[in-house]
Amino acid sequence: MSRTIQSAIRIIATLLAWTLLIGSVRVADAQQNAADSVAKSETESIPDEAARRADAEKTFKKNVSQFVNKYCVDCHGTRPEAGINLRSALNTPGAASSALHWKKSVANVKVHDMPPHDAAPLPSDAERQQFIQWIGKLKYLAPRDPGTFVIRRLNKVEYGNTLHDLYGVDTSIASSLPDEVVGEGYLNSISPLQSERFLEIANKVVGQVIAPEGKAPTAVQQRLFGTLPAEGTELRQTARNIARSLARDAYRRPPTESELDVLVEIFDLGQEHDLSEIDSLGLMWKAVLVSPQFLFITPAASVDSKESIVPLDDYQLASRLSYLLWSAPPDAELSALADKGQLHNPEVLRKQAERLLMHPRSRALFDGFGAQWLGIGQLEQQTFDPEVFPQMTPALSQSMVDEARLLFQNIVQENHTIFRFVDSDYTFLNASLAKLYGLNQAIEGQQMRRVKLANPNRGGIIGMPATLASTSFPNRTSPVRRGVWVLEQVLGERVPPPPPNVPELDDLKQENLDGLTLRQQTELHQSEPTCANCHKVLDPIGFGLENFDAIGRWRATYDNGLAIDATGQLPAGERFATPAELKRLLANRKADIARNLTEKLMAYALGRQLEGYDEIVVDKLMLKMAEDDYRMRTMITEVITCYLFTHRKVKG
């Protein structure tokens, strides 16, 4: 391809981006009616919220501001330490920008990390508990809206799946793209490297689909381009019709006329450079494949509405649903419903969510969300010391992840209660994993199968090798990492980051460690005042899992023969001596477990952190979920049909 043509494709991507940004199409009557209807129904609960808001305003003025001014603003005021600006939060207590500062403050106050031990005055334990409760009310000061609207880029997996679904190419065609940064949400930008890669991949896709000149067209080429008419005015109209079809599939919505104008100009450019009709269409197709409308999940049109908050258009709602559950574009049934404008109906949307969840492709929900929630997404790339753990092969790592995936899918497919993640009495094993579990029953081969567990220490994510290995170091366990994992990933607690310049256990002088158990070594950190408060919360939970080694095998002693002390306690004081007892205590924290999983899924689905009014929506979801014993599919469908998922802010 000539440099002129390649430059033209880059220009066309920019032009298409501008048509996306400046195109103005009045919102359809059906969508406007839906917005008005929703606005009316949403106001029905305002009296309750108004009362809570008044209480929150009173609590803030009378209690929160006094506590913060007395104990916090000297360090977290004009020049805030550790990124916590409470002076700003005092000025705008209900703003989205303040929510994270309040959450960080609660986390530090809860573990007595803040105010620092040498500060004066210091709050009493009762004052700390009151502060935590007061901050919980500030969500009612947040404005009523669905939060920041994220127009996000397809990630690497979604991009490969989309090319496969639309054009039949292998998903590995996307392997040259850089890996995504895992986090709570998505990147919404394209780097220069990614831009070059997208163009290279577009060239490969077109090269695989379009047959060389003189050869019979491929089946996909025939489907995309059909039979071309003779040269003349008909040819340009045919090119426009083909552009319309290509763009409808690639943009996951009908293209605007201005978008089609730009694409046809690219076809004309090819003709001007003496390309054949087929190659000119291929050039136009490449422009589609590098356009923002393909690479990003974009709205169908800008909205001209009296309302500041409107429902998502049906096409974006279809894409948001399919990429959440399948990591793929909407299928024919979902697209047809979008064309008919029926996805605004909550029951239709709920049924579609159920349909997608019951399909094998819904394994993508684990690969995208479940693995991230459990913190095992990088296990297959994690390195273990081969001298200490020669069993930890790539195949065993894959089996560990497969076990977690199958349990997740089973809980979804059979619609079990969310708490089955903690207290399940079954799992999925092959021969390698069965050996790791120490099972005597005959399990042969590498095929995963459901296995009933008799050992109460096993079952669920607490005693699962994937999570135990992911929270370990290459040569040993880490009670600290495991404690943090239980608090953050299971209970939804926010754990303050460690202070700077604190050495790892392995960096401490060896003579100080001789003859000490790992528990005793870890407790050395508690001799440092800046570490003690957090470690008193984290370490006891991690100690409770010390009977599992770094790859999840059961043990009673360390390699040096020293006995393992697995006693511990949760922050509220409940004590345990075995993983089974820890699981039982965690299972009693139903509200915390359910809310944590719901909030994490909501943040993943929206592509952003939760803040302000989001928490009020989650409160309502929790009430609905409780009516159905917090079942997994109920939780997922409630997230998908809720206000935050189905609406966006267009003004203000």
Side-chain angles (χ1 to χ4, degrees), residues 366-378:
F366 171 83
D367 295 335
F369 166 70
Q372 180 179 317
W373 163 48
L374 295 176
I376 63 174
Q378 301 302 311

Side-chain angles (χ1 to χ4, degrees), residues 382-430:
Q382 192 170 333
T383 301
F384 286 84
D385 189 332
E387 294 186 5
V388 181
F389 301 108
Q391 310 88 341
M392 201 60 181
T393 62
L396 183 58
S397 294
Q398 179 63 59
S399 296
M400 289 180 176
V401 175
D402 287 344
E403 177 191 10
R405 176 187 293 110
L406 289 169
L407 179 65
F408 185 95
Q409 288 181 263
N410 178 264
I411 291 174
V412 171
Q413 296 281 322
E414 297 187 5
N415 202 20
H416 290 305
T417 179
I418 289 171
F419 314 119
R420 187 62 58 90
F421 282 116
V422 174
D423 65 358
S424 67
D425 59 355
Y426 67 93
T427 192
F428 295 83
L429 305 176
N430 58 15

